Amino acid sequence: MDRILVVDDDVLILAALSRILQAEGYDVVTHSDPAVAAREVGFQVVLTDFMMPYLNGIELLSALREKNPKAVRLMLTAAADFRTASEAVNRGEVFRLLGKPWSLSDLTNSVRQAFAHYRLVDANERLSREVAEKNAELVAINRDLERRVVERTAGLLDGLISALDYRDTETQWHSRRVSLYSRRLAQEVGMTGAALDVVEQGALLHDIGKIGVRDSILLKPGPLTPEEWVEMRKHPEFGYRMLAKMPYLHEAALIVLQHQERWDGKGYPQNLAGEDIVLGARIFCLVDTVDAITSDRPYRKGRPMSVARDEIRRCAGTQFDPALAEAFLNIPETEWQRIRQEVEALEAAENERWNSDPLGPPAPLARASGA
């Protein structure tokens, strides 16, 4: 039931107010002593006189506000006290100011509006709490969905790389190295969050289009003919077409499409140049060269990182984005060594798993020609 506290040191006025408000259906609590009234709790509206002994109306409302912060405050005041009482309204202490003597309609309408205001504020707070709770639930649901997408995407990427690895046994660990190299260089130039994941995914999948290249070309031990190079150089487009229709891999697919482009426009398949090449592909182009120089090949051992750094410095502005080259050279060699060691540890664990598999490891295929 709607409960109102009424305070006035004039007991006759207090009794009159009580009768009027009870007739309106309110639960009325009355006090003629403002000091006693100041201890009341559990009401939605308070109606008080302004001029009273011990505590005036403003002081009473301030005291009540501590324990009843949501209660709506009304004040009665004689015309002579209007200026002083109006200060309380201006300071936000009072919802409505009523004059003495009061108009019955003004009094009842003001009390009715005060209760309506209380219910509106209360409902707004309740709805705000419910919305906050629902938002928290949605955040938790979205976080779980994101986790599942990440897990399933990671599983899909592993499956795609494994599928290619059955055809080109050098691809998997090279791809994992350059994906982590790409992520580290992307961090160096200020990329964060999902953008880092896109760069890493694009680098990991850069050669996935080789699945569409014939074995006679992909696994050819010797040099490719000009005609065979035409087909080999289609692998970025093959990879892009495989990935572009997957919404969560669309941006990574652009890196796959452009990973053989060069800063000077002499790459393929689109002869893009400069910043027309997506940043992730420019990053990949640089770290791919670093990995090629520092990794073992059938015809030579991997060379020191210092050789790779000299090559990056030499080709900055031609093959490589000069800003990325500078960022790469600012990263300590120990960072690249750490990443390589991480991948080597993964490779060792994978080999151990295959060696314990009842079916044994997959039969190795001939090593693919470079592209």
Side-chain angles (χ1 to χ4, degrees):
M1 186 175 182
D2 291 337
R3 194 164 189 251
I4 182 169
L5 171 65
V6 181
V7 186
D8 198 307
D9 61 318
D10 187 326
V11 293
L12 295 177
I13 292 176
L14 191 63
L17 289 170
S18 178
R19 286 195 301 274
I20 292 169
L21 295 174
Q22 286 177 347
E24 292 289 316
Y26 301 116
D27 179 13
V28 183
V29 179
T30 60
H31 284 286
S32 60
D33 185 344
V36 176
R39 297 194 290 268
E40 279 287 350
V41 294
F43 52 89
Q44 295 88 39
V45 175
V46 54
L47 171 63
T48 179
D49 188 22
F50 174 59
M51 287 300 295
M52 296 182 293
Y54 311 118
L55 292 175
N56 66 35
I58 296 174
E59 293 167 338
L60 172 60
L61 292 178
S62 295
L64 289 170
R65 190 172 191 175
E66 293 182 12
K67 294 182 180 180
N68 306 271
K70 295 198 300 181
V72 182
R73 294 168 289 278
L74 302 174
M75 184 179 288
L76 286 165
T77 180
D81 305 319
F82 188 84
R83 178 175 296 178
T84 304
S86 67
E87 294 178 6
V89 178
N90 293 334
R91 293 202 304 266
E93 294 286 339
V94 177
F95 174 71
R96 190 68 51 80
L97 191 64
L98 299 169
K100 282 186 173 180
W102 64 80
S103 158
L104 180 61
S105 60
D106 283 348
L107 174 67
T108 54
N109 285 337
S110 294
V111 171
R112 192 176 303 116
Q113 290 168 11
F115 277 105
H117 180 76
Y118 178 90
R119 285 190 289 269
L120 182 63
V121 171
D122 187 62
N124 182 64
E125 291 180 357
R126 176 176 51 78
L127 289 173
S128 295
R129 287 194 302 270
E130 291 176 1
V131 168
E133 291 169 2
K134 293 298 181 183
N135 283 341
E137 291 177 14
L138 287 173
V139 168
I141 291 170
N142 287 335
R143 190 178 295 119
D144 184 57
L145 288 173
E146 288 172 4
R147 178 185 59 78
R148 294 185 185 185
V149 168
V150 168
E151 289 175 355
R152 292 176 182 179
T153 300
L156 173 62
L157 301 190
D158 285 342
L160 289 171
I161 294 300
S162 296
L164 180 58
D165 193 43
Y166 274 107
R167 302 191 66 214
D168 179 359
T169 55
E170 294 296 317
T171 293
Q172 179 175 174
W173 303 112
H174 159 69
S175 295
R176 295 192 186 279
R177 282 194 302 273
V178 294
S179 69
L180 296 179
Y181 286 166
S182 295
R183 188 180 186 96
R184 179 63 185 85
L185 183 53
Q187 287 175 323
E188 188 69 14
V189 296
M191 298 180 74
T192 59
L196 286 176
D197 296 334
V198 168
V199 170
E200 183 176 349
Q201 291 167 355
L204 183 65
L205 294 169
H206 72 278
D207 268 346
I208 195 65
K210 287 183 177 178
I211 289 176
V213 177
R214 288 177 294 159
D215 285 352
S216 60
I217 296 174
L218 183 66
L219 305 178
K220 185 176 180 179
L224 299 180
T225 67
E227 292 77 16
E228 289 169 335
W229 268 112
V230 170
E231 181 170 341
M232 178 62 83
R233 287 182 173 177
K234 291 179 180 179
H235 78 271
E237 297 172 81
F238 293 160
Y240 174 78
R241 289 171 185 162
M242 289 174 62
L243 303 176
K245 292 182 180 179
M246 304 179 195
Y248 50 87
L249 289 178
H250 179 74
E251 292 180 81
L254 289 174
I255 297 174
V256 172
L257 176 63
Q258 299 178 14
H259 77 274
Q260 290 289 354
E261 303 288 357
R262 291 172 43 126
W263 181 257
D264 59 10
K266 295 181 180 179
Y268 65 88
Q270 297 173 297
N271 302 117
L272 300 176
E275 294 186 359
D276 288 341
I277 306 166
V278 296
L279 180 56
R282 284 180 269 148
I283 289 172
F284 170 83
C285 177
L286 189 151
V287 300
D288 184 49
T289 298
V290 171
D291 191 63
I293 292 171
T294 57
S295 299
D296 292 341
R297 293 296 173 92
Y299 48 88
R300 64 158 175 82
K301 294 289 289 180
R303 287 170 285 182
M305 180 59 73
S306 59
V307 175
R309 289 171 64 87
D310 288 342
E311 180 69 4
I312 299 305
R313 190 178 290 108
R314 184 181 70 83
C315 296
T318 54
Q319 186 175 351
F320 309 122
D321 179 336
L324 291 177
E326 181 180 356
F328 168 80
L329 294 170
N330 286 335
I331 299 173
E333 289 187 25
T334 53
E335 279 288 280
W336 308 113
Q337 293 167 359
R338 176 186 61 79
I339 293 171
R340 178 174 281 274
Q341 289 166 1
E342 284 182 15
V343 177
E344 287 173 351
L346 289 172
E347 184 176 8
E350 181 76 1
N351 289 338
E352 184 178 348
R353 185 178 71 82
W354 278 117
N355 290 334
S356 64
D357 193 292
L359 297 178
L365 298 175
R367 192 175 184 282
S369 303

